[in-house]
Amino acid sequence: GTLGYRIGRRKLLMIGGVAFAVASILAAFSTSAEMLVAMRALLGVAGATLAPSTLSLIRNMFHDERERQFAIGIWITAFSVGSAIGPLVGGVLLQWFWWGSCFLVAVPVMVMLLVLGPSLLPEYKDPNAGRLDLVSVALSLAAVLPVIYGVKQLAEHGLGWLPALIVLAGLAVGVLFVRRQGRLAYPLLDLALFRRPAFSAAIAAYALSCLAMFGMYIFIAQYLQLVLALSPLQAGIATVPWALAFVVGSLLAPKLAQHVAPIGILVWGLVAAAVGFAMLTQADGPHGLAVLVAATVVMSLGMAPVFTIGNEMIITSAPPERAGSASAISETSSEFSGALGIAVFGSIGTAFYRNALGAHMPEGVPP
């Protein structure tokens, strides 16, 4: 988001597309687990340029409120369609080709972006943009990574001083990061945006939704393949109704906004999503798959308007010249909350599983 101000949002999008294509090729032909993890990290860095750039471009391209809401609905729908196509394509590729082919699928998409982007997308940049504060970048990483790592270690090995100290150290660095942002003329994280009630409310709803959805999805994937013993392709098919419901909800959100206040859409969307989560607790027994599909459809229909209207509130509550920061905060909250959801929910699940398994293990099995 900050780089987009300096070099131009379209240019950053193009650079990210090149990096994503190169990282995808390297990931596909990784020769070790360490190399694959490193390439996935590079894919994360490259991918982080895409969503903030596109969302801030939408903010500057569409000034009419209804057009902008519809554009953001299409933007969210693109994610939903990708979510629907991804497991299916991945399942087919894993069924018939080697695992690296899953990464190569991204290459022609990035090539299409690089060919069409310069002619279809306008350029926006801030001539008065400040410098990128690399110290803040380092502090943000030093805050987030230890917290995630410590939580996972606590789940894997149980309570212990070392992982607890690692979590506390990450939180302490996080405090330093926030204090530094308040002193900078051009902060990496623009705290002034959080003083706007609509922005804070939308960020909170969006972040908590991502935390719940990502944290729950890892169990759905394991349930489909490890409990129901579905193939990768069959598991992908089982997630299609969920993704299609997200598409429907995303496209309906702008129409709902014509009759219901944005905050009302967020509240009732979260209520509907909560009903879907409650239904998921009943996904067991002979009808487990049918219950799971129905629950994820209800959950998606509730979540989609939260994502669409929430993002529209996030970028429109900020001044146009701060759209890049607002969209970057939106993307950051989504990614961080998703990672935290996987860490926390996954850790809780691992702890329950470990404790339940330990009581039934035969004697003589090594720890």
Side-chain angles (χ1 to χ4, degrees):
T2 304
L3 278 175
Y5 291 137
R6 293 177 60 85
I7 67 175
R9 292 162 188 172
R10 185 184 67 187
K11 186 175 182 179
L12 181 65
L13 185 63
M14 299 297 105
I15 293 172
V18 171
F20 200 91
V22 171
S24 296
I25 295 171
L26 293 174
F29 295 99
S30 295
T31 55
S32 67
E34 290 78 12
M35 180 179 175
L36 179 59
V37 170
M39 290 306 102
R40 288 287 290 156
L42 183 57
L43 280 169
V45 173
T49 68
L50 303 178
S53 298
T54 52
L55 191 55
S56 58
L57 281 170
I58 287 174
R59 172 67 176 90
N60 286 279
M61 290 166 62
F62 297 96
H63 298 284
D64 179 79
E65 183 178 357
R66 289 189 179 183
E67 287 186 354
R68 187 171 56 247
Q69 286 179 347
F70 185 71
I72 293 175
I74 295 293
W75 186 80
I76 293 291
T77 299
F79 280 89
S80 308
V81 172
S83 300
I85 295 175
L88 283 175
V89 173
V92 170
L93 293 174
L94 288 173
Q95 200 95 0
W96 302 105
F97 301 98
W98 108 107
W99 61 267
S101 61
C102 293
F103 290 98
L104 295 181
V105 174
V107 177
V109 179
M110 293 300 106
V111 170
M112 188 182 303
L113 169 65
L114 295 171
V115 171
L116 298 177
S119 59
L120 295 179
L121 297 173
E123 181 61 288
Y124 291 98
K125 63 191 303 185
D126 183 358
N128 301 312
R131 66 182 181 87
L132 178 64
D133 184 48
L134 295 178
V135 175
S136 293
V137 174
L139 285 174
S140 69
L141 288 172
V144 172
L145 295 180
V147 172
I148 299 293
Y149 177 78
V151 169
K152 285 182 171 290
Q153 290 298 304
L154 287 170
E156 186 176 352
H157 303 294
L159 292 175
W161 282 107
L162 183 58
L165 288 174
I166 291 174
V167 172
L168 290 175
L171 294 174
V173 176
V175 173
L176 293 176
F177 170 79
V178 171
R179 292 183 65 180
R180 182 177 179 83
Q181 303 316 295
R183 295 196 301 266
L184 293 174
Y186 299 98
L188 185 72
L189 180 66
D190 190 352
L191 298 178
L193 292 173
F194 288 92
R195 299 191 187 102
R196 298 168 179 260
F199 181 88
S200 296
I203 280 286
Y206 187 44
L208 291 172
S209 297
C210 290
L211 185 145
M213 182 171 279
F214 278 82
M216 171 271 307
Y217 183 74
I218 60 170
F219 293 111
I220 287 181
Q222 293 180 71
Y223 178 75
L224 291 173
Q225 293 192 254
L226 301 181
V227 178
L228 298 183
L230 300 182
S231 69
L233 179 58
Q234 291 171 326
I237 293 172
T239 64
V240 170
W242 173 7
L244 292 179
F246 220 100
V247 171
V248 172
S250 300
L251 294 177
L252 286 177
K255 295 188 178 298
L256 282 174
Q258 298 176 20
H259 308 286
V260 183
I263 291 296
I265 293 176
L266 294 187
V267 170
W268 287 109
L270 291 173
V271 168
V275 172
F277 282 122
M279 291 171 63
L280 273 177
T281 65
Q282 307 304 309
D284 198 7
H287 304 295
L289 180 59
V291 173
L292 183 144
V293 170
T296 55
V297 166
V298 173
M299 181 196 67
S300 292
L301 289 173
M303 285 286 195
V306 174
F307 282 28
T308 303
I309 301 301
N311 271 290
E312 200 270 341
M313 289 174 63
I314 289 167
I315 65 168
T316 55
S317 60
E321 66 275 8
R322 305 303 293 165
S325 283
S327 58
I329 291 173
S330 169
E331 176 68 6
T332 301
S333 69
S334 168
E335 296 296 342
F336 176 70
S337 299
L340 194 62
I342 291 171
V344 172
F345 283 51
S347 298
I348 293 172
T350 301
F352 273 110
Y353 180 76
R354 186 188 67 236
N355 292 333
L357 185 66
H360 298 88
M361 291 294 282
E363 293 184 8
V365 177

